[in-house]
Amino acid sequence: MDWRLRRATPADIAALSLVAGATFLEAFAGILDGADIVAHVTRNSSPDAFARYMGQGAIANLAEAEAGAAPLGYTLLTAPDLPVAPKPGDIELKRIYALFPTHGTGLGPALMAQAIADAQEAGHRRLLLGVYGGNRRAQRFYEKQGFTVAGTRRFLVGATWHDDLIYARSL
C-alpha cells in the first residue's frame, strides 16, 4: 500500500478522529473489554478531543493512502501529561498509530521520524510516550527507535485500569 505523510491541520480533525478510533480498536480488540474500548475512543478520540488538542498547540501528522487520501495513521505531540519527573524541553508523543494493512511498509518508522523531527524543530529535548504494558510489539518498536523505560503509570481505559510503561528518548 502506498502512503504519504503530511502535517495535519484543523481541517483534518475528522480524519484524525476516524483513524484514531479505528487503530485503537484494531490494536486492542481481544485484549481490552469492548465496552471499555468504545468508552475510551468516545472520550479520547472524538473530533472534539482532537479540536482541543489542536487548540492547545498539539502537533499532528496524518498518513494517507496515495490513492484517494484515506487516513491510515497519525501522530500527536502534546504537552507532557505523564507521571515522570518533568525536564525542561519535554514533549509527549501522545499517539502514534498506523492501520494494520500498513504494517511492514515503513510507515511506523516514518511516523516516528517525523514526530522526532517535529519535536526537535519545536526546540524540545526529550520525547516521552506511554505504552500498554502488555504490548510487547510496540515496546520493541520504541526500543529500536532509541527509547528506554523511564517509569510506569496506571492508565484507565473505559472502566478498567491497566499498567503502562513510560518511555523516554533524548532528542
Side-chain angles (χ1 to χ4, degrees):
M1 174 176 295
D2 293 329
W3 49 265
R4 63 178 172 252
L5 185 57
R6 65 174 179 82
R7 178 66 56 91
T9 71
D12 297 310
I13 286 172
L16 290 165
S17 174
L18 176 66
V19 75
T23 54
F24 194 86
L25 175 62
E26 189 175 69
F28 294 107
I31 297 170
L32 305 178
D33 181 75
D36 286 348
I37 291 171
V38 171
H40 178 84
V41 167
T42 299
R43 183 177 56 254
N44 298 298
S45 297
S46 68
D48 287 344
F50 277 96
R52 278 192 305 278
Y53 289 133
M54 299 292 269
Q56 295 167 350
I59 301 168
N61 288 291
L62 183 62
E64 301 173 316
E66 275 290 337
L72 301 172
Y74 74 108
T75 61
L76 183 68
L77 291 166
T78 67
D81 182 25
L82 295 166
V84 296
K87 293 182 179 180
D90 282 355
I91 191 167
E92 181 180 350
L93 179 55
K94 188 161 239 22
R95 309 265 182 81
I96 180 170
Y97 282 100
L99 287 168
F100 184 76
T102 66
H103 293 188
T105 68
L107 179 56
L111 284 165
M112 181 61 78
Q114 187 61 57
I116 290 168
D118 289 342
Q120 290 171 325
E121 184 179 306
H124 295 282
R125 297 191 300 264
R126 186 169 74 153
L127 186 58
L128 303 168
L129 63 86
V131 61
Y132 173 56
N135 191 342
R136 214 30 223 140
R137 184 175 184 269
Q139 293 166 27
R140 283 191 302 272
F141 173 75
Y142 299 137
E143 290 162 5
K144 188 175 179 181
Q145 301 295 319
F147 287 84
T148 57
V149 175
T152 60
R153 72 172 169 186
R154 301 274 294 156
F155 188 76
L156 185 63
V157 178
T160 306
W161 288 95
H162 300 275
D163 295 311
D164 283 3
L165 295 174
I166 298 169
Y167 277 82
R169 180 189 190 274
S170 293
L171 300 174

